[in-house]
Amino acid sequence: MTNSSVTPVILCGGSGTRLWPLSRKSYPKQFVELMGEETLFQASARRMSGSSDMLSFNAPLVLTNSDFRFIVTEQLQAIGIDPGAILIEPEGRNTAPAILAAALYVQQNDPDAIMLVAPSDHVVPDRDAFHAAVAAGMSPVMAGDLVTFGIAATHPETAYGYLELAEKPQPETPIKLSRFVEKPDASRAAQMLAQGNYLWNAGIFLFKAADIIAAFQKHAASLLDPVGEALRTAQTDLGFLRLGPEAWAQADDISIDYAVMERADNLSVVSYASDWSDLGGWDAVWRESGPDADGVVTSDGATAIDCHDSLLRAEGDRMEIVGIGLENIMAVAMNDAVLVADMSRAQDVKLAVSALKEKQAVQATQFPKDHRPWGWFESLVVGDRFQVKRILVHPGASLSLQSHYHRSEHWIVVEGTAKVTIDDDVKLVTENQSVYLPLGCVHRMENPGKVPMVLIEVQTGAYVGEDDIVRYEDVYARS
């Protein structure tokens, strides 16, 4: 079979708590450059694009939430990939409603559509091997099966679910699935590894849209009405498709495995034997980064002295981290938070996030850089009645026309050129020039150039919170 066309469906939500502090709710791991110059999301989109002798990929369908929608478009644009559509989930309802919404949407345009559903945060270095595995799954898909992909286990991992097969798997050979197995303890994981007929559950699926919809009708029919209504009441917003929130809220919060896969009897598994990781913790990042002869992984800005089996990672332009005599330690330093833990406690990093939430520390969820549709900003200094920010505005982008009740501002341009509106006055402000914005003035900042514009903003006043904004016009339709 040749030239089969596949529509990638990229699931792009999640909070990424196990890779804190680099991954946070406001900017989770799929958007971070964890393993090179591309983010995990960008690498996923690139992996599910292009064509080969056996298959070709259509433009991807991305499911994400409102907070990430502009990050998704910006990162896709940076690698030259145009999405077929971006569906906005009003709230997280797990993978089953998301996949059903994607299937119903795809089937509207192509009744015979084939979908490849994958998370956006996996590491799969061998693109050709991945394409070969997908191509191997096409035959059972054309016969009406739902195909899932299993990873050949390399060690007794307790952080993954498993797939039990009736026989030992062969790479790129579809085999019927016996059952799903929950995350095991260490003893059971070692036992399954020794038996040889178990694979890690990758959470990647291949099927016809019509077949997965039929599976929902048979095994999870209660999802069809709310998800279908959410799609029918969806609203187009700046090129995104926002699913209807009222109907979506009625959908069960349930995974695709529990809702459908564990109940279906038409399941096949394709074994993938090349490198793969879901980067489910800093121990996985350490392993995938290729430790040196002493078992040490260091980033730029990190120095290891007499260390063994450890990860030292510095995040920030002026950050340096030094480890001396460390063994089995993971240490990740950012300008607002530092993690130091035993490597064996990698899965417990989420406990740090919970503890920080309890004490209402912003570091629990908020990334130092606050990404917006026009660019990003970060706070450099915060005092009782002032704040200093660094702001980057993308070429051609603009902030909303706005005013503040409680603060005045100084803007100092340090890179590029800003087009500044202050009430009825519009002027260009170039590098090493500044402008004063008095309290209450109606103002806007734009980047009319072809390179990023960077400025330093000094706010002074009784209150400098982000909610002290009155918007009059906004190209991004924010209230």
Side-chain angles (χ1 to χ4, degrees):
M1 152 184 207
T2 59
N3 297 323
S4 297
S5 185
V6 175
T7 297
V9 175
I10 305 176
L11 306 178
C12 202
S15 57
T17 55
R18 290 178 294 176
L19 287 176
W20 184 90
L22 188 56
S23 173
R24 309 188 196 182
K25 183 178 180 181
S26 69
Y27 203 69
K29 67 177 181 177
Q30 63 264 29
F31 300 124
V32 176
E33 294 175 2
L34 268 166
M35 301 294 297
E37 295 183 356
E38 283 190 339
T39 69
L40 299 179
F41 169 65
Q42 288 174 318
S44 296
R46 192 184 295 279
R47 183 167 59 250
M48 291 183 282
S49 63
S51 61
S52 66
D53 292 339
M54 293 297 293
L55 71 154
S56 63
F57 290 101
N58 300 321
L61 173 66
V62 181
L63 282 99
T64 189
N65 62 44
S66 185
D67 291 340
F68 301 155
R69 66 195 190 281
F70 293 110
I71 301 173
V72 164
T73 54
E74 178 185 329
Q75 293 202 353
L76 287 177
Q77 184 179 33
I79 59 173
I81 292 179
D82 292 324
I86 299 176
L87 270 59
I88 305 300
E89 299 177 69
E91 59 182 297
R93 308 303 288 168
N94 217 312
T95 53
I99 291 172
L100 177 57
L104 292 170
Y105 179 85
V106 168
Q107 195 189 40
Q108 288 177 350
N109 302 314
D110 181 4
D112 300 318
I114 297 171
M115 301 165 52
L116 176 64
V117 179
S120 59
D121 56 1
H122 290 184
V123 174
V124 185
D126 193 338
R127 173 175 166 164
D128 290 342
F130 179 77
H131 283 199
V134 174
M138 294 300 294
S139 292
V141 164
M142 299 309 293
D145 273 7
L146 311 177
V147 172
T148 185
F149 294 86
I151 309 300
T154 57
H155 57 278
E157 179 61 64
T158 60
Y160 301 150
Y162 285 70
L163 306 171
E164 181 182 352
L165 282 64
E167 56 186 285
K168 290 188 177 181
Q170 297 294 323
E172 300 171 22
T173 302
I175 297 173
K176 287 293 183 181
L177 176 69
S178 294
R179 67 185 179 103
F180 287 81
V181 180
E182 294 291 337
K183 296 176 183 177
D185 58 25
S187 174
R188 179 61 179 142
Q191 189 178 52
M192 290 192 293
L193 180 64
Q195 283 184 236
N197 63 319
Y198 290 86
L199 300 171
W200 292 335
N201 183 2
I204 302 173
F205 304 98
L206 182 71
F207 36 62
K208 291 181 182 177
D211 290 336
I212 192 63
I213 293 170
F216 273 99
Q217 290 171 335
K218 183 176 181 180
H219 304 293
S222 63
L223 286 172
L224 287 166
D225 284 346
V227 173
E229 183 63 17
L231 192 59
R232 284 189 291 274
T233 58
Q235 299 290 320
T236 300
D237 174 16
L238 296 175
F240 306 102
L241 188 65
R242 290 182 176 272
L243 298 170
E246 293 184 5
W248 189 256
Q250 303 305 310
D252 293 335
D253 185 344
I254 187 170
S255 73
I256 188 69
D257 284 357
Y258 287 139
V260 173
M261 297 300 173
E262 293 185 1
R263 305 178 186 185
D265 56 8
N266 59 332
L267 276 149
S268 291
V269 179
V270 173
S271 173
Y272 180 77
S274 192
D275 290 342
W276 170 90
S277 175
D278 75 342
L279 289 189
W282 285 114
D283 55 340
V285 174
W286 168 79
R287 199 161 41 240
E288 292 297 319
S289 298
D292 65 16
D294 293 321
V296 174
V297 170
T298 57
S299 70
D300 292 340
T303 302
I305 301 172
D306 193 26
C307 295
H308 298 86
D309 301 328
S310 294
L311 170 72
L312 298 176
R313 186 163 179 142
E315 297 292 338
D317 298 337
R318 301 177 62 188
M319 178 70 63
E320 289 284 340
I321 181 172
V322 180
I324 302 175
L326 302 180
E327 186 146 358
N328 210 48
I329 292 295
M330 50 191 191
V332 182
M334 299 187 68
N335 62 7
D336 69 334
V338 178
L339 169 72
V340 181
D342 191 276
M343 192 78 76
S344 66
R345 302 293 298 273
Q347 294 302 307
D348 290 334
V349 171
K350 58 181 179 285
L351 300 179
V353 178
S354 297
L356 290 173
K357 285 181 179 178
E358 284 289 322
K359 60 191 293 187
Q360 298 183 334
V362 296
Q363 289 91 336
T365 57
Q366 294 299 310
F367 200 70
K369 286 183 179 178
D370 195 326
H371 290 261
R372 298 298 174 95
W374 42 260
W376 54 259
F377 71 83
E378 62 180 338
S379 294
L380 303 178
V381 182
V382 180
D384 289 339
R385 293 180 58 88
F386 73 93
Q387 179 173 205
V388 181
K389 289 181 177 180
R390 178 167 60 162
I391 300 174
L392 180 144
V393 183
H394 296 308
S398 67
L399 281 68
S400 60
L401 186 67
Q402 59 186 256
S403 65
H404 308 297
Y405 287 119
H406 302 291
R407 68 176 185 256
S408 59
E409 297 174 347
H410 277 93
W411 293 348
I412 305 100
V413 176
V414 294
E415 292 182 29
T417 298
K419 181 181 178 182
V420 178
T421 299
I422 304 176
D423 292 326
D424 295 326
D425 185 26
V426 180
K427 65 177 71 175
L428 293 179
V429 182
T430 58
E431 290 182 8
N432 204 33
Q433 293 184 332
S434 64
V435 63
Y436 173 64
L437 294 89
L439 178 73
C441 73
V442 177
H443 59 275
R444 169 178 278 157
M445 177 197 311
E446 303 173 64
N447 180 359
K450 298 185 180 301
V451 297
M453 183 268 289
V454 180
L455 60 79
I456 302 300
E457 178 181 87
V458 181
Q459 305 174 349
T460 56
Y463 179 71
V464 293
E466 285 305 307
D467 54 349
D468 179 22
I469 294 179
V470 179
R471 287 193 175 97
Y472 304 98
E473 296 176 9
D474 184 44
V475 296
Y476 308 109
R478 296 169 296 172
S479 59

Short mmCIF file of all heavy atoms in Angstrom, two decimals, residues 139 206 404-405:
data_model
loop_
_atom_site.label_atom_id
_atom_site.label_comp_id
_atom_site.label_asym_id
_atom_site.label_seq_id
_atom_site.Cartn_x
_atom_site.Cartn_y
_atom_site.Cartn_z
N SER A 139 -1.74 -1.33 7.65
CA SER A 139 -2.51 -2.51 7.23
C SER A 139 -3.62 -2.85 8.22
O SER A 139 -4.79 -3.02 7.82
CB SER A 139 -1.58 -3.70 7.02
OG SER A 139 -0.75 -3.49 5.91
N LEU A 206 -3.09 5.16 16.08
CA LEU A 206 -3.35 5.31 14.65
C LEU A 206 -4.66 4.61 14.35
O LEU A 206 -4.85 3.44 14.71
CB LEU A 206 -2.21 4.67 13.84
CG LEU A 206 -2.28 4.77 12.32
CD1 LEU A 206 -2.03 6.20 11.85
CD2 LEU A 206 -1.26 3.82 11.68
N HIS A 404 -3.77 52.81 32.56
CA HIS A 404 -3.64 52.27 33.91
C HIS A 404 -4.19 53.29 34.92
O HIS A 404 -4.03 54.50 34.75
CB HIS A 404 -2.17 51.99 34.24
CG HIS A 404 -1.47 51.15 33.22
ND1 HIS A 404 -1.83 49.86 32.94
CD2 HIS A 404 -0.42 51.44 32.39
CE1 HIS A 404 -1.03 49.38 31.99
NE2 HIS A 404 -0.18 50.31 31.64
N TYR A 405 -4.78 52.77 35.98
CA TYR A 405 -5.31 53.62 37.04
C TYR A 405 -4.26 54.01 38.08
O TYR A 405 -4.35 55.06 38.71
CB TYR A 405 -6.46 52.92 37.77
CG TYR A 405 -7.74 52.82 36.98
CD1 TYR A 405 -8.28 51.57 36.67
CD2 TYR A 405 -8.43 53.96 36.56
CE1 TYR A 405 -9.47 51.47 35.95
CE2 TYR A 405 -9.61 53.87 35.85
CZ TYR A 405 -10.13 52.61 35.55
OH TYR A 405 -11.30 52.51 34.83
#
